[in-house]
Amino acid sequence: MNRKTLRALLRRDKFEDGLDAELRHHIELRAADLTRSGLSPEAAERQARLELGSRERYKDEARAAFGLRWLDDLGHDLRYAVRTLSRKPGFLAAVVLTLALGIGANTAVYTIVDATLLRPLPYPHPGRLVKLSLIRPATPTRPSSDDALWSYPKYETFRDSQNVFDDVASYDSTTATLTGIGDPEVLRGEIVSGNYFSLLGARAELGRTFTVNEDAVIDRDYVTVLSHALWARRFGSDPSVIGRTIRLDRTYTVIGVLPSDFQGLSGPADLWIPAHAVPSSQELGDSRMHSRSVAARLKPGVSMEQARAATAQAGEIVNKTFPDPRKLPWGAIARSLDETRVDPVIRRSMLALFAAVGLVLLIGCVNVANLLLAQGTVRQREIAIRAAIGAGQGRVLRQLITESLLLSLTGGAAGLLLAAALVKAFDSVQIAGATLGLGRAIAGLTLHGFSSVRLDGAALLFAASISILTGLLFGILPAWDTSKASLTGALKSSSSSLGSRVRLSSLVVVEGSLALVLLVGANLTVQSFLRLSKTDTGVDPTNVLTARITLARPPASPQAAARFFGDLEAKTAGLPGVRVAGLSTCTPLSGTGCTSTNVSTPGDPDTPVRSGIYMVSTGYFSAVRIPLLQGRLFDTSDSHPVAIVNQTAARKLWPGQRPLGKMLRVPPLEGEHEIVGVVGDVRYEELDQPSRPDVYVDYTQNSSPRMFLYARTEANPTALLPLLREQLRQLDPNQPLDDVQTMEQRAARAVMRPRYTALVLGAFAGVAALLAGIGLYSVTAYTVRQKTREIGIRVALGATRSRILTGVLQQGLILIAAGTVGGIVLALGASRLLTGLLYQTEPADPTILTLSAITFLLVGLAACVIPARRAATVDPIQALRSE
Amino acid sequence: MLLPGTLDLLILKAVSLGLQHGYGVLLRIEQISGGALDIEQGALYPALYRLEHQGLLDTEWGTSDNNRKAKFYTLTTTGRKRLRQETEGWERLVSAMSTALAAKGSAA
């Protein structure tokens, strides 16, 4: 297309004005010549006009010469389509609404899939980044893992034993309390090796990032780099923050601020601290302290295969340097960072969701195709007339496809509005995470993906593409069918061909099958959710407020920490409305957050049992109502180490014996602990995982710098919060409260993922069943309309009403039955997608399959009854006259 | 009566003789053909648009003799080249036709 064509295209008015002026000029000159040859001026002008011919024709020719014919045709098709569609507002609304639902939901789900699975990681050359993990062998107490964390010495040894990576960096997440400026606040930080930022290709927005030298000597360089968000929130975006010191557990010098789009590999962080910035007393050098993640960047020209081989080799060197005490072999493994960013469970639930929402759109397409097919038969007269006045099949086909595309793009535009609303709802990471399974593992890059869910160019492109695709999908078959309507056939009679009725029916069967697949999926997830929410957590979550307190500064002694928390518990218990207060190091249903250790009996030290370990106060058990089953709770008079175990621990450690009075080793705690009581099981990890053995010790005997405070209240526990804050401020103004939630909120969070999955799938299935019902209804109603004459004759010949009714119902039932069979077969295959996402529910559960099929049958029958009743009331005289 | 394809050539030739508006092109063709070639007015403008779109003619708006705004056509470089090629082609054709038509039956 050249410049002139473009100008003609864009400035159509100007183009035509020019044309007019030129022709007018021609006529004037010609008329003047003719006047000179003797004609009167009027006759001359008439003659000149006649000679030149029609102005309109020139316009057409000129536009054709400039290659604009197709545009005129398109404009014509569009105007015609708008006229045709606006004459049928009901049809238009039904189609646009169906498509808006389908395209909107698909676009919304796509934005999440894009952010978490498709969009490249936000670092330069993300394809060259790998994640390195240790392969930990199985022990009697712990299963093996191929995604285990590193200790600092193992990381260092690995880094120096390979030559395939440009650089190898370690990182670990932590929390720190910011004090000294305004309200104290718990911040999220990353402890990283000095090369972390250069490896990720991140530059400071202000100041600089760490040098390798700043992460070389322990207890020397206390420097920190701030996130853009923290700098803006706490320092008012003041550039003079560089060089200032801030107070965390000690003072750190701020050397830089990162740009706002940077996020660490373990998730959004407020600040970064070098790994060596710890007191020398703290262990950087313990090869068995596995707490760090490791990432690396491939050297140019090194393939992933070479990197994997080199990683395995370097892993052997690490294993030889730090042999396992039980002589078990450890290894190392490299994976593309991109591939590790989403937990497999989340990936699967996302795929299941995407498949489900795709099915809804497909069903919507079938419905629209159905409507168009029925419309097509109605329109055959119109099409035949257009054919008679010279429109070829191609031209008619193009017209019909233009109509479909206009429908689908209108639906797509409405769908985008819906998607925008949905994405806004997803905006809270909490909800987006829960929908897709983050309840299990909110971490690192996954969180990263969810925090950037947005309706961007890629999403718009996706919406436009699926709009056009659906337009073609539902448009082509009906358009083909309609456009080839023969001239004579259509003008001769209005009764439809058997062929198009068969096509309509088979589309309805397909639609029904797809809807049934979704019904099965939704019923499975709902059942799974119901079973899960009926699971006993072991605690009573009503009216309990919980909050985490991490001591802002290392306590002078363990006793000082215990005293502080003891004071806090006692004062909290004295607040108005509080029945009882308690302390523990971990909350029920906290996922992977609780500590575990290998406990053993003195008589059998070689068969340890992996169990959870909690430092608690006596008040904890009554605050969350964990029942005491045997013995007693802790007593201030206990002078020797004592412990309480749960039922599972008692059964595993002392099967068939009375556990009271038995001794237990609980490393890393000193000495042997006497068992004084047995309490009920509590689900500390996930709700869908059975309770493991748990050991409780007295926090006054073994204190921790981080505890959860519990307060059971008379009524609404959140009302207590201001009092609690004020009381903490009186105890220590530099001490923030963190992670404040009611126990009910924690319990709800544990079932959030299955709950949202069930809700979303249920909504999808509901829409799908509704659409299938509408599809079945429209086909049956259409058939009845077409056969009015036949029914009239049959009634006139003596057929009873009930016979007509059952006849129509029978036909509907055949379709429903075919759809049910198809749906069950498809569901058996498709529900495998849900494996691993269901709790105590088999994907091929026969009860669920039956239940779903019955639901589908009922919906189908309801859809057939209305047209069947209409058929039964056909008046034979009217029916015969109507033709 | 014109041979097909010759209208474009005549227009190019007429325009090559100097700046012309549409009606002028028509008059000029009649003039240079000694009135022998009569152009149908209806065919003129589509041909002009076509040649303009092909980039052989350039246009500009100016004032005509009767002091009215008019669109004037000139040859572009490509147009000039095309005119030369077509003229040569035409001459070859004419001489070939003359030779052919002048041939006498061979006695040998």
Side-chain angles (χ1 to χ4, degrees):
Chain A
M1 195 186 282
N2 67 24
R3 198 167 41 85
K4 283 194 168 168
T5 312
L6 196 66
R7 211 164 52 213
L9 190 67
L10 294 177
R11 319 222 30 198
R12 184 176 181 143
D13 294 350
K14 197 146 189 197
F15 177 77
E16 292 194 349
D17 285 351
L19 222 58
D20 279 343
E22 186 170 25
L23 297 178
R24 228 172 16 246
H25 183 245
H26 178 103
I27 289 166
E28 275 172 25
L29 291 176
R30 177 69 185 154
D33 281 356
L34 288 170
T35 316
R36 270 194 289 282
S37 68
L39 285 178
S40 74
E42 293 78 28
E45 181 165 347
R46 199 165 50 241
Q47 171 82 10
R49 282 191 190 282
L50 273 174
E51 280 177 4
L52 194 60
S54 150
R55 226 180 95 242
E56 290 305 312
R57 193 186 127 220
Y58 288 112
K59 278 189 195 160
D60 271 5
E61 297 246 4
R63 291 179 65 76
F66 281 78
L68 300 180
R69 174 61 69 58
W70 63 272
L71 194 73
D72 292 343
D73 280 356
L74 180 66
H76 179 262
D77 281 355
L78 274 178
R79 275 194 299 278
Y80 189 80
V82 169
R83 263 206 314 276
T84 314
L85 293 175
S86 57
R87 248 184 273 131
K88 293 173 275 193
F91 167 78
L92 184 66
V95 170
V96 169
L97 204 67
T98 307
L99 293 175
L101 270 178
I103 294 172
N106 271 277
T107 307
V109 173
Y110 170 81
T111 58
I112 298 171
V113 172
D114 178 50
T116 48
L117 295 179
L118 304 176
R119 203 183 298 156
L121 294 172
Y123 309 107
H125 310 291
R128 308 295 292 165
L129 291 172
V130 295
K131 179 162 186 227
L132 301 171
S133 304
L134 280 179
I135 303 173
R136 190 187 65 209
T139 65
T141 54
R142 261 172 122 181
S144 68
S145 164
D146 63 355
D147 190 18
L149 298 171
W150 299 72
S151 63
Y152 200 83
K154 287 185 179 177
Y155 151 69
E156 273 183 315
T157 308
F158 182 93
R159 185 188 63 198
D160 302 335
S161 316
Q162 55 75 34
N163 56 6
V164 292
F165 301 115
D166 266 341
D167 224 337
V168 182
S170 80
Y171 57 98
D172 182 13
S173 63
T174 185
T175 58
T177 308
L178 178 68
T179 55
I181 47 163
D183 289 335
E185 181 183 352
V186 178
L187 303 178
R188 239 190 69 85
E190 269 191 323
I191 297 174
V192 301
S193 56
N195 56 5
Y196 180 72
F197 294 107
S198 60
L199 180 122
L200 291 180
R203 269 172 226 279
E205 177 185 352
L206 194 68
R208 56 178 179 86
T209 59
F210 304 136
T211 61
V212 177
N213 186 38
E214 274 161 336
D215 184 41
V217 179
I218 202 156
D219 197 22
R220 187 189 67 187
D221 299 299
Y222 287 94
V223 288
T224 180
V225 175
L226 308 182
S227 75
H228 181 94
L230 181 70
W231 178 55
R233 188 173 75 236
R234 297 303 301 253
F235 301 95
S237 300
D238 181 359
S240 73
V241 74
I242 306 296
R244 260 166 69 182
T245 56
I246 61 168
R247 184 140 191 104
L248 302 172
D249 54 332
R250 48 154 296 143
T251 56
Y252 289 79
T253 307
V254 177
I255 61 161
V257 176
L258 285 164
S260 58
D261 58 356
F262 180 82
Q263 279 182 16
L265 291 175
S266 63
D270 297 307
L271 47 77
W272 287 263
I273 292 167
H276 280 78
V278 287
S280 40
S281 61
Q282 217 164 312
E283 288 294 356
L284 195 63
D286 184 351
S287 71
R288 296 187 61 193
M289 271 287 292
H290 296 105
S291 66
R292 288 163 211 273
S293 302
V294 173
R297 188 178 279 280
L298 289 174
K299 272 187 181 159
V302 173
S303 73
M304 198 60 211
E305 285 68 44
Q306 289 168 317
R308 266 193 280 270
T311 302
Q313 275 179 13
E316 277 175 34
I317 298 176
V318 172
N319 186 43
K320 284 203 188 89
T321 316
F322 305 100
D324 182 86
R326 287 146 299 192
K327 304 281 173 263
L328 296 169
W330 290 58
I333 186 169
R335 290 185 190 88
S336 150
L337 189 65
D338 191 61
E339 150 198 345
T340 63
R341 64 170 155 175
V342 172
D343 181 295
V345 176
I346 297 168
R347 188 183 288 265
R348 237 198 341 270
S349 52
M350 243 172 338
L351 285 179
L353 202 61
F354 212 15
V357 80
L359 275 187
V360 172
L361 183 60
L362 208 57
I363 292 169
C365 277
V366 172
N367 240 14
V368 174
N370 243 334
L371 283 169
L372 284 175
L373 266 180
Q375 283 290 329
T377 355
V378 176
R379 285 177 68 179
Q380 271 180 3
R381 243 172 225 275
E382 168 207 332
I383 303 289
I385 291 167
R386 293 196 66 194
I389 57 174
Q393 195 195 339
R395 193 73 186 70
V396 172
L397 193 66
R398 202 164 70 183
Q399 169 66 45
L400 293 171
I401 300 268
T402 306
E403 281 183 29
S404 301
L405 286 178
L406 186 67
L407 283 173
S408 69
L409 287 172
T410 314
L416 267 183
L417 295 181
L418 177 70
L422 288 176
V423 167
K424 208 167 174 187
F426 274 141
D427 211 20
S428 138
V429 173
Q430 185 93 336
I431 294 175
T435 312
L436 298 160
L438 282 184
R440 187 175 299 271
I442 288 204
L445 294 168
T446 306
L447 202 61
H448 199 146
F450 278 108
S451 60
S452 55
V453 170
R454 57 176 190 254
L455 210 59
D456 57 2
L460 291 181
L461 193 69
F462 175 82
S465 314
I466 61 168
S467 298
I468 291 171
L469 200 70
T470 50
L472 294 176
L473 198 63
F474 69 67
I476 277 183
L477 177 70
W480 180 255
D481 209 55
T482 310
S483 69
K484 73 173 200 280
S486 80
L487 185 60
T488 46
L491 287 178
K492 216 164 51 191
S493 139
S494 67
S495 71
S496 80
S497 66
L498 181 67
S500 83
R501 222 158 51 216
V502 169
R503 259 195 287 281
L504 279 174
S505 305
S506 40
L507 280 183
V508 166
V509 171
V510 170
E511 187 181 24
S513 307
L514 297 179
L516 185 50
V517 170
L518 277 179
L519 274 177
V520 170
N523 277 335
L524 285 172
T525 44
V526 168
Q527 160 133 329
S528 158
F529 164 67
L530 289 179
R531 291 210 170 131
L532 190 60
S533 45
K534 275 194 205 123
T535 306
D536 185 12
T537 56
V539 299
D540 173 7
T542 50
N543 289 344
V544 178
L545 186 69
T546 69
R548 184 171 57 195
I549 293 117
T550 311
L551 292 182
R553 270 180 255 314
S557 67
Q559 289 76 18
R563 253 197 319 277
F564 174 82
F565 284 117
D567 273 2
L568 183 62
E569 184 188 27
K571 291 223 162 97
T572 305
L575 288 174
V578 175
R579 286 189 179 162
V580 54
L583 295 165
S584 88
T585 43
C586 203
T587 69
L589 299 172
S590 63
T592 50
C594 298
T595 316
S596 58
T597 186
N598 289 336
V599 300
S600 57
T601 55
D604 193 4
D606 295 330
T607 50
V609 171
R610 191 88 190 161
S611 61
I613 172 167
Y614 314 88
M615 289 142 199
V616 302
S617 69
T618 309
Y620 170 68
F621 296 100
S622 34
V624 295
R625 298 202 169 137
I626 299 172
L628 176 67
L629 304 174
Q630 293 177 44
R632 61 172 176 89
L633 297 177
F634 301 127
D635 195 321
T636 41
S637 64
D638 284 326
S639 53
H640 60 289
V642 293
I644 294 171
V645 294
N646 71 347
Q647 272 180 295
T648 305
R651 219 172 23 244
K652 273 210 164 164
L653 287 161
W654 302 281
Q657 301 172 50
R658 223 177 116 77
L660 297 184
K662 294 278 196 303
M663 301 306 277
L664 188 66
R665 290 180 181 165
V666 192
L669 306 181
E670 302 282 320
E672 294 180 356
H673 290 63
E674 186 198 339
I675 307 300
V676 295
V678 177
V679 293
D681 285 347
V682 173
R683 304 223 162 174
Y684 277 100
E685 295 174 296
E686 297 293 345
L687 197 49
D688 58 0
Q689 282 160 14
S691 296
R692 58 180 183 184
D694 286 320
V695 177
Y696 300 90
V697 296
D698 187 346
Y699 85 103
T700 57
Q701 294 186 341
N702 299 282
S703 79
S704 154
R706 169 182 302 181
M707 299 285 273
F708 283 88
L709 176 68
Y710 300 76
R712 177 168 287 279
T713 55
E714 309 275 352
N716 177 17
T718 47
L720 180 67
L721 190 55
L723 290 177
L724 195 58
R725 282 195 196 284
E726 181 48 39
Q727 180 221 271
L728 183 62
R729 205 176 351 253
Q730 283 171 13
L731 269 179
D732 180 353
N734 279 329
Q735 189 57 61
L737 269 186
D738 182 29
D739 193 14
V740 181
Q741 289 182 62
T742 65
M743 200 60 226
E744 273 175 333
Q745 282 170 331
R746 290 184 193 277
R749 224 184 81 70
V751 291
M752 222 180 209
R753 177 184 63 85
R755 179 157 160 204
Y756 276 96
T757 311
L759 259 176
V760 170
L761 273 184
F764 287 169
V767 170
L770 190 69
L771 288 177
I774 293 172
L776 193 61
Y777 165 79
S778 60
V779 166
T780 317
Y782 169 74
T783 314
V784 168
R785 220 171 25 246
Q786 292 300 321
K787 294 200 325 195
T788 308
R789 191 190 169 96
E790 180 196 325
I791 295 169
I793 295 174
R794 288 177 57 196
V795 173
L797 291 179
T800 60
R801 302 275 177 206
S802 65
R803 206 180 163 129
I804 302 285
L805 188 82
T806 43
V808 175
L809 281 183
Q810 228 162 37
Q811 285 195 339
L813 271 177
I814 292 172
L815 298 184
I816 298 169
T820 311
V821 173
I824 295 285
V825 171
L826 282 179
L828 284 177
S831 60
R832 236 171 287 158
L833 250 179
L834 295 172
T835 313
L837 302 178
L838 299 174
Y839 176 68
Q840 293 184 355
T841 308
E842 282 300 310
D845 186 321
T847 327
I848 297 272
L849 285 177
T850 317
L851 196 74
S852 309
I854 290 173
T855 315
F856 177 67
L857 276 171
L858 290 177
V859 170
L861 267 182
C864 291
V865 161
I866 305 166
R869 286 178 56 124
R870 193 185 304 147
T873 54
V874 162
D875 176 358
I877 300 171
Q878 203 104 68
L880 292 173
R881 200 183 277 155
S882 76
E883 287 283 310
Chain B
M1 180 54 202
L2 277 176
L3 282 170
T6 51
L7 176 60
D8 287 7
L9 178 53
L10 281 172
I11 292 178
L12 289 177
K13 179 65 191 177
V15 172
S16 78
L17 297 175
L19 200 67
Q20 297 288 352
H21 47 67
Y23 189 62
V25 172
L26 192 76
L27 294 181
R28 181 61 65 90
I29 291 176
E30 280 179 20
Q31 183 211 340
I32 60 179
S33 68
L37 297 173
D38 197 7
I39 308 288
E40 201 191 317
Q41 289 182 35
L44 175 70
Y45 286 96
L48 282 172
Y49 303 145
R50 195 166 55 241
L51 292 171
E52 182 189 348
H53 181 62
Q54 287 169 8
L56 303 179
L57 295 182
D58 226 343
T59 62
E60 61 185 82
W61 289 92
T63 320
S64 73
D65 302 338
N66 65 347
N67 235 356
R68 296 293 301 269
K69 208 177 114 188
K71 192 174 174 189
F72 287 93
Y73 294 86
T74 52
L75 275 190
T76 62
T77 322
T78 341
R80 207 166 292 287
K81 207 184 293 169
R82 175 70 65 85
L83 175 62
R84 204 164 50 238
Q85 285 166 358
E86 299 250 315
T87 310
E88 284 164 12
W90 178 257
E91 280 164 358
R92 266 201 307 278
L93 177 69
V94 169
S95 80
M97 285 296 286
S98 321
T99 314
L101 294 176
K104 301 201 170 65
S106 169

